[in-house]
Amino acid sequence: MLWNLDNNRAIYIQLMEKIQLDIVSGVYKPGDKLPSVRELALQAAVNPNTMQKALSELERSGIVRSKRTSGRLITEDEAMLKQLKSELAQEHIHIFIENMDKLGFSREEILALTSEQLREVE
């Protein structure tokens, strides 16, 4: 797992975003057990306290739940995970459109370029 962290943003927020991305992309499945705080901190090369804060925030949001004897588990609430995936997609689309606007592309040009790229990927 690659953790590209940017020192210009709060590290714990980036950790949360990475774990959320791993969940919605299927790296972690609903009900899966997450690695321990120390394991995740080691993978991300961050202080365990910072990872703990990220995981606590994910717990607070309901995406992760803590089970006393089993550690932290991914929620099994499919609707919540679907909503999270949709929200993350909307964020990425918004950033993409903002960047294309900065490059001077019209909406029609953005749509044409995107359609062209999608055809090439197929």
Side-chain angles (χ1 to χ4, degrees):
M1 235 184 302
L2 188 60
W3 300 75
N4 291 321
L5 302 175
D6 175 8
N7 288 328
N8 295 321
R9 295 179 54 227
I11 299 298
Y12 84 95
I13 291 174
Q14 294 177 71
L15 297 173
M16 288 175 56
E17 291 169 347
K18 170 70 167 105
I19 294 168
Q20 288 174 336
L21 183 63
D22 286 347
I23 292 168
V24 300
S25 69
V27 172
Y28 299 118
K29 307 274 189 265
D32 276 359
K33 183 178 185 285
L34 281 173
S36 71
V37 171
R38 291 202 181 280
E39 288 176 66
L40 287 169
L42 189 60
Q43 289 174 13
V46 298
N47 184 299
N49 292 331
T50 305
M51 184 59 74
Q52 175 64 41
K53 182 173 182 176
L55 292 170
S56 293
E57 289 297 318
L58 289 173
E59 271 187 65
R60 196 167 292 123
S61 71
I63 296 166
V64 172
R65 62 185 169 86
S66 191
K67 198 167 183 182
R68 282 176 76 187
T69 57
S70 304
R72 286 190 171 88
L73 306 172
I74 306 302
T75 184
E76 294 179 11
D77 184 341
E78 298 281 343
M80 176 186 282
L81 295 176
K82 186 176 180 180
Q83 177 67 28
L84 174 62
K85 188 173 189 171
S86 177
E87 288 171 7
L88 292 174
Q90 292 299 320
E91 280 180 42
H92 284 276
I93 291 167
H94 181 76
I95 291 167
F96 169 75
I97 292 171
E98 277 185 352
N99 288 332
M100 295 302 280
D101 282 343
K102 289 175 186 174
L103 290 171
F105 286 97
S106 69
R107 294 294 186 257
E108 294 78 22
E109 290 171 319
I110 294 170
L111 186 56
L113 286 168
T114 304
S115 294
E116 182 182 316
Q117 287 298 309
L118 286 172
R119 280 191 299 277
E120 288 181 16
V121 172
E122 291 175 354

